[in-house]
Structure formats: structure tokens, C-alpha cells
Amino acid sequence: MVKKQSSMVLDMRTMFHCSIVMLFLGGLATLSFYGNYNQELVSSNIEVTLSTTTTTTTITSKSNTDTADIDTNTETNTNTHTNEAAQVFDHQRRLKIAPPSITETCDFFSGQWVYDNKSHYPLYKEDECPFLHGDLACQTYGRKDSKYQRWRWQPHGCDFPRFDGKAVVERLKGKRLLFVGDSVNRNQWDSMMCMLYSAIPGEKKLGVGLNHTLYTFRSNDYNISVDYYWAPMLVESNGDDPSNHRLDHRTIRVKSIEKHARHWVDADILVFNTYLWWRLPIIKLLKGPGSLLGGPNQVYDEIDNVRAYKMVLETWSKWVHTNIDPAKTKMFFMGLTATHSNAMDWGGKKQQTCYKEKEPVMVDGFWESGTDPKMLRILESSLSKLKAKGVNVQLLNITQLTQYRKDAHPTVHRRLWRPLTDEQKRNPQRSSDCTHWCLPGVPDIWNELLLSYIFPTTESASQ
């Protein structure tokens, strides 16, 4: 009986010790689980690096607008294969959780024009911008009304940060902002230059280089460069000479972009456009070494403008994907802009244009006949395909907001490259410029929207 009791006590002691050991091991397992869980929570809020490839580029600009020293140091994992002909970037290497900015919560491009003579428009005065091109200086060349300068773009249900020159200048220090495209992009560059002119203290210079294809507005004190590069069709074309080109037909080398693009790679911010030069129905695709300007050796295919536009955007997309690191360069593409050359679109008379128009179209959703929506869909599709590859080129879809502004073009109030003929003087409707935009004016709004994307914020432009 004693032996039996001793055995029972021993078994109870054994069970007690085992229970203590099991509790101890269970506690360790619980601590380990929650330690790993908390570590995962912390990790989800920091930047995650998916690639071992990093590239650092330092650009030292010189006073000569045609040249820049570029010092590039690349560290690459030994298992990474590099293309000797072109640098290929890992476009999906970084993921970061951040609070939504205004550009993500507000549709800037759906709205209406509101007349507002009490706000800060115009953003500058025409005579306070000495570098403004004369073909956009409408007041200087005889336009008497100024109401077109005081319309404010108001998005539906939200708003965008209004221009704060001093804040923008501080954030542009040490950067090169480059506009690339046709004369409407030059129009926007002129606007940005005038917006910044009075906000940048000290000396500012305007330089012209590369046979007048590159314009540079520069502040050496702040190391800011705001440039424009003339490439109306992005690839090589018979319009590459900004002052001597054919207007009655278009000829391109559809896969030749490097001649222009090598001047874009060192920009911190790139703003592209191309549309005006694609409105002719037929585009010639040059084959072989013949001259783009014509001649006996020119061999080409003729295709419709929509197909050619798509092909060129494919060439441009491949170049962007191969040569631009989106971790270091912000990229934007401007939407199509209206050309108010047919007054019948808004109820005017046949053969009239935007000449003497002084009010916007106030019909919601108005669309003038000169803007091809197929072109816009092709552009949107091209940018979507790039984004799927990890390259974000932000579309600034200003197309609809420009449709309403038939009142804001230079018409005949501009510097003329050649004297008007007697016929043009008798019929100013036909000689009116209804494609470009008076400054100050509509392109200033484009730049306010652009700056909202370049420097996104959750509150105001001054932050």
C-alpha cells in the first residue's frame, strides 16, 4: 500500500514538472510569434527595396547651354546583366506607402471656367516678363481687352494648390525642368518662365543653342534651369528646323529618336507633348538614308496619321523605358489642346474662326472639331502600357479644359514672322492664330496643375 502511494506521488510530481515545462515552452512560442508579427508591421511602413541595382547621377551645368558634365556611378549586383548599348533600369524596384496627395483625391481636369477678377490672376504682367516671345504677347501687339486673363479653372468638388512662386523656386533649386515637343509646349515653357521670373531673385539669363532647338532660362544663383527643346514629332522629321520647315506635308524617321533624345537624359523633370504636327491625314515614313527634306533619293511609305502617331509613341516609350530612371526623373505628358478654327462648332458663322472671340464656351462637355479623340486614346494607351512596365509618365489631360477657351488665342495680335498680304489684311479670320495661347492666360493654369504633380502635397502649395 505504501509502495502504491509513493508511486502516485511520484506520478503527480512528474505531471507537475511536465506542466511547468510545457507552459514555459508555450510562452516562448507566443513571444516569438508576436515579436515576428510586430516586426512585420514595422516593415510594412518602411521602404522596401526589391532590387540590388542603384544608380547615382550628378549633373553640373555650365554657362554654355549646349553642354553639361554628367558624372554617373553605378553599383550593380554581380548577377545583374547589363546592356552595353543602353542602361536598363529596374522600374519596379521600390514600393512605398504614403498618404494620398491632392492629385490622387481630386480630379483636376473635370471642372469649369469661373470668371474671377478678385483672385491672383493674372499671375504676372506681360511687360514684366522680358523674355516672353512676341507671338504670345497679345497686349503688346494690339489686343485691347484683358478679360481672358482672369478666368480661373475650378475642378468639380475640390481645388488645386494655387501658384506660390517663392515656394516653387525653393523646391526647384538644383534642378533642370525640360519641356520637349512642339510650339504649344514652347507656349507652356514661356508661361513657366514668366511665372518664375519675378519669383527668382538675382540675375536670370536666356540662352539659345543647338541651332535654335534648345532654349534655356537659367538662374545661376539658384542653379535652376527651365528649358525647352524643339522636337515637334519627337522623332526625326522634316520639321526639325524650328524656323525653316515644310508645313504642307510630314516626313519622319519613325524609329530615329536618339538625335533629339540625347539632349533630354540629364533632366530632373521632363514634360512632353506632340499633337499639332499630326493633324495632316497622311504621314510619310522615310525608308533608307534619303533626306527628310525631299530629293531624288527619298524613298518612303505613306500611312494615315493615327497609325503613324501610335508608331512614334511606341518608339518614344521604348526610349523612355530604356534610358530614364523614374526613381530620379519625373515625367509628364501633356494632353491635346484645342484649335478653335471653325466657329460653327460653337454656333458661329461659316468660315469664321476665333477672331474677336471674347468669352469662353460655357456648354459643359463642348468639343471642337479640330481635336481628334482617337489620338488621345492612343496616348492614354501608350502611357498605360509604360505604367504596367513600372514606368509612370503622368498624363496631364488638359484637353477638355482647353476646349472651352475660344477667347484666349492671339489671333492677329502677335509678332508676325512675315508681313500680312493684302488678302490676309482683308480677311483677318483666315490669318488668325487660333492654336497658340496669349500670355498671361490659359497655359498658366496648365503649369499650376503641372506643379501640383511635380510637388504633390496633402494640403497646400506652400508646404
Side-chain angles (χ1 to χ4, degrees), residues 33-324:
F33 170 79
Y34 280 103
N36 290 335
Y37 177 70
N38 289 333
Q39 186 175 4
E40 289 174 4
L41 284 178
V42 173
S43 299
S44 69
N45 288 314
I46 64 173
E47 186 173 87
V48 183
T49 303
L50 303 179
S51 168
T52 56
T53 304
T54 59
T55 304
T56 303
T57 304
T58 303
I59 306 167
T60 305
S61 299
K62 295 183 177 180
S63 58
N64 186 335
T65 59
D66 296 353
T67 61
D69 294 333
I70 303 176
D71 178 24
T72 304
N73 300 310
T74 305
E75 298 177 3
T76 309
N77 187 290
T78 54
N79 294 326
T80 302
H81 299 284
T82 58
N83 184 343
E84 295 181 357
Q87 186 173 7
V88 179
F89 301 99
D90 181 356
H91 298 293
Q92 295 179 330
R93 64 187 176 182
R94 296 182 185 276
L95 298 175
K96 193 172 182 179
I97 298 175
S101 67
I102 293 177
T103 58
E104 296 172 303
T105 58
C106 177
D107 183 358
F108 289 163
F109 308 105
S110 175
Q112 61 184 347
W113 289 97
V114 177
Y115 183 68
D116 183 0
N117 61 357
K118 296 180 180 180
S119 69
H120 64 169
Y121 296 108
L123 299 179
Y124 52 89
K125 294 181 179 179
E126 187 177 302
D127 57 5
E128 294 175 351
C129 185
F131 298 149
L132 176 62
H133 282 85
D135 44 353
L136 310 172
C138 302
Q139 298 282 312
T140 299
Y141 287 87
R143 183 162 183 170
K144 302 301 182 184
D145 66 301
S146 61
K147 188 176 180 180
Y148 66 92
Q149 299 178 352
R150 299 186 180 278
W151 289 88
R152 170 171 53 87
W153 177 250
Q154 182 60 58
H156 294 309
C158 56
D159 207 351
F160 57 89
R162 302 298 166 175
F163 178 66
D164 181 339
K166 292 182 179 179
V168 171
V169 167
E170 287 298 319
R171 300 182 78 172
L172 279 176
K173 278 184 178 179
K175 291 181 171 59
R176 184 190 186 206
L177 166 59
L178 175 61
F179 294 85
V180 176
D182 59 33
S183 55
V184 171
N185 232 25
R186 195 204 72 180
N187 204 158
Q188 187 175 355
W189 168 76
D190 267 274
S191 163
M192 182 68 81
M193 180 173 56
C194 291
M195 289 168 65
L196 294 174
Y197 186 85
S198 61
I200 301 177
E203 184 181 21
K204 282 83 67 175
K205 294 183 178 180
L206 180 65
V208 182
L210 299 176
N211 296 318
H212 286 80
T213 58
L214 177 65
Y215 289 80
T216 297
F217 171 68
R218 181 165 180 79
S219 165
N220 288 327
D221 294 341
Y222 281 75
N223 192 23
I224 294 173
S225 185
V226 181
D227 301 349
Y228 164 71
Y229 185 92
W230 168 265
M233 305 184 85
L234 296 182
V235 295
E236 291 183 45
S237 75
N238 63 336
D240 284 349
D241 187 329
S243 58
N244 183 24
H245 45 251
R246 298 288 297 273
L247 298 177
D248 59 349
H249 72 270
R250 305 283 184 262
T251 305
I252 63 173
R253 296 187 193 275
V254 72
K255 294 186 177 180
S256 297
I257 196 171
E258 187 60 32
K259 174 185 173 182
H260 297 312
R262 60 195 176 96
H263 302 292
W264 312 339
V265 290
D266 64 344
D268 299 284
I269 305 160
L270 279 166
V271 184
F272 295 97
N273 97 315
T274 183
Y275 173 61
L276 290 181
W277 283 62
W278 298 95
R279 291 180 300 161
L280 291 182
I282 297 298
I283 305 294
K284 297 178 180 179
L285 306 186
L286 190 65
K287 301 168 64 176
S291 171
L292 284 163
L293 301 178
N297 297 324
Q298 192 181 66
V299 180
Y300 56 84
D301 291 330
E302 290 187 345
I303 65 173
D304 69 86
N305 59 341
V306 174
R307 183 183 169 198
Y309 185 70
K310 182 178 181 180
M311 292 171 70
V312 164
L313 286 181
E314 288 173 354
T315 297
W316 168 83
S317 295
K318 289 178 182 177
W319 180 86
V320 166
H321 186 260
T322 302
N323 293 277
I324 299 297

Side-chain angles (χ1 to χ4, degrees), residues 226-435:
V226 181
D227 301 349
Y228 164 71
Y229 185 92
W230 168 265
M233 305 184 85
L234 296 182
V235 295
E236 291 183 45
S237 75
N238 63 336
D240 284 349
D241 187 329
S243 58
N244 183 24
H245 45 251
R246 298 288 297 273
L247 298 177
D248 59 349
H249 72 270
R250 305 283 184 262
T251 305
I252 63 173
R253 296 187 193 275
V254 72
K255 294 186 177 180
S256 297
I257 196 171
E258 187 60 32
K259 174 185 173 182
H260 297 312
R262 60 195 176 96
H263 302 292
W264 312 339
V265 290
D266 64 344
D268 299 284
I269 305 160
L270 279 166
V271 184
F272 295 97
N273 97 315
T274 183
Y275 173 61
L276 290 181
W277 283 62
W278 298 95
R279 291 180 300 161
L280 291 182
I282 297 298
I283 305 294
K284 297 178 180 179
L285 306 186
L286 190 65
K287 301 168 64 176
S291 171
L292 284 163
L293 301 178
N297 297 324
Q298 192 181 66
V299 180
Y300 56 84
D301 291 330
E302 290 187 345
I303 65 173
D304 69 86
N305 59 341
V306 174
R307 183 183 169 198
Y309 185 70
K310 182 178 181 180
M311 292 171 70
V312 164
L313 286 181
E314 288 173 354
T315 297
W316 168 83
S317 295
K318 289 178 182 177
W319 180 86
V320 166
H321 186 260
T322 302
N323 293 277
I324 299 297
D325 183 357
K328 298 188 174 300
T329 304
K330 293 185 177 183
M331 291 175 285
F332 304 88
F333 212 110
M334 304 304 297
L336 320 183
T337 55
T339 56
H340 296 100
S341 299
N342 184 1
M344 295 180 68
D345 291 338
W346 57 86
K349 295 180 180 180
K350 188 177 180 180
Q351 296 185 342
Q352 289 187 346
T353 62
C354 68
Y355 179 65
K356 287 192 174 181
E357 292 290 343
K358 296 182 180 180
E359 298 285 337
V361 176
M362 302 306 290
V363 178
D364 189 43
F366 170 79
W367 194 274
E368 59 91 23
S369 58
T371 305
D372 189 346
K374 293 191 297 294
M375 296 282 198
L376 183 58
R377 289 195 292 269
I378 289 171
L379 175 57
E380 290 172 336
S381 175
S382 297
L383 300 187
S384 294
K385 290 175 182 178
L386 265 179
K387 190 171 185 178
K389 297 176 181 178
V391 182
N392 182 35
V393 181
Q394 178 65 50
L395 173 64
L396 268 67
N397 195 355
I398 58 173
T399 306
Q400 185 62 67
L401 70 86
T402 68
Q403 298 292 314
Y404 305 112
R405 295 304 306 274
K406 62 181 174 60
D407 60 311
H409 298 287
T411 65
V412 297
H413 304 297
R414 68 191 195 277
R415 182 185 63 191
L416 300 173
W417 295 101
R418 56 183 64 87
L420 293 176
T421 64
D422 291 339
E423 173 61 24
Q424 288 173 322
K425 291 177 182 178
R426 287 191 297 268
N427 188 1
Q429 296 280 356
R430 297 186 63 183
S431 57
S432 286
D433 180 355
C434 297
T435 297

